[in-house]
Amino acid sequence: MINVITRPSEFKHLQGIEYFDFEEDFMEENIRCIPMVVRFKMDLAGIKLKLGEWRRFHPAERVELALLPTSSSEEIKYYRKNLIRLITKHTGKEATSMPVDNQPAWQNLTEIPKILEEKLSEDKLEISISQWHVLTDIQRFALLKLCRPGHENKNFSKAMVEFGLINQ
């Protein structure tokens, strides 16, 4: 039997970011997954970061990626440039670009995205448009990531509870 020592990730008590309790299920030495806050910012910047690349970053660099602002187009450009630099520095390879969705589903406050409705129906759950509306951008983003086909969906219900959408 392998003994894996788990401790809270470097993001658990970090001030200035949204980091979710359900994400701790994925953390072993901080490198089993990329936190939602960083995934959110990568999508905004149009750069795909592979887990193997993330693992090579120094903890301070990972924290910086979580903390860097991405509220304006200038901040997003800086984030993109910084992420590309880190990938090149640690891998010697070029970063992988991905298209930026100018109208991401998490940003639409007038309707619940179809993929989420399907997952909710499958799990015999529902949320109202007003509940969807009061979620933060990263919460909506996380729900959509967690309900994608082919994604490990075990934390979907944990996220729903954590976001106050259902009771335990």
Side-chain angles (χ1 to χ4, degrees):
M1 181 174 171
I2 297 174
N3 238 353
V4 176
I5 298 172
T6 58
R7 60 176 191 258
S9 79
E10 59 215 14
F11 305 99
K12 179 74 174 161
H13 302 291
L14 189 61
Q15 297 297 308
I17 66 163
E18 277 186 84
Y19 180 76
F20 307 119
D21 290 339
F22 72 81
E23 292 184 89
E24 284 297 300
D25 290 354
F26 295 115
M27 291 298 169
E28 294 164 3
E29 300 299 318
N30 300 315
I31 56 174
R32 192 162 164 239
C33 80
I34 300 169
M36 286 291 175
V37 65
V38 175
R39 294 173 68 189
F40 178 78
K41 293 174 181 192
M42 291 170 9
D43 277 16
L44 292 173
I47 296 294
K48 181 167 182 63
L49 178 64
K50 299 173 184 91
L51 186 58
E53 295 166 339
W54 175 252
R55 287 178 174 156
R56 293 176 182 227
F57 294 176
H58 186 276
E61 293 168 328
R62 294 194 296 255
V63 166
E64 180 185 27
L65 287 172
L67 290 172
L68 278 172
T70 54
S71 298
S72 70
S73 60
E74 289 305 312
E75 290 172 345
I76 293 170
K77 284 179 192 173
Y78 178 79
Y79 193 91
R80 178 183 172 87
K81 183 178 165 184
N82 190 48
L83 184 53
I84 289 170
R85 179 188 61 76
L86 287 172
I87 292 169
T88 303
K89 172 184 166 184
H90 290 288
T91 69
K93 298 178 181 174
E94 287 187 33
T96 304
S97 291
M98 62 182 187
V100 175
D101 186 348
N102 292 322
Q103 295 181 321
W106 56 262
Q107 209 171 44
N108 184 346
L109 300 178
T110 61
E111 64 184 19
I112 297 171
K114 184 174 174 67
I115 190 169
L116 180 55
E117 283 183 337
E118 289 170 355
K119 176 65 177 157
L120 291 166
S121 176
E122 176 185 310
D123 291 355
K124 296 178 179 37
L125 300 170
E126 48 182 61
I127 64 171
S128 68
I129 193 67
S130 61
Q131 287 175 302
W132 176 251
H133 191 266
V134 297
L135 295 173
T136 65
D137 289 348
I138 296 175
Q139 288 173 329
R140 289 190 304 272
F141 173 85
L143 286 177
L144 293 175
K145 288 292 185 189
L146 291 171
C147 72
R148 285 189 331 216
H151 187 276
E152 190 177 328
N153 303 84
K154 72 176 188 173
N155 281 333
F156 179 78
S157 60
K158 289 181 182 182
M160 293 283 290
V161 171
E162 186 172 343
F163 301 164
L165 299 170
I166 60 172
N167 296 321
Q168 269 184 332

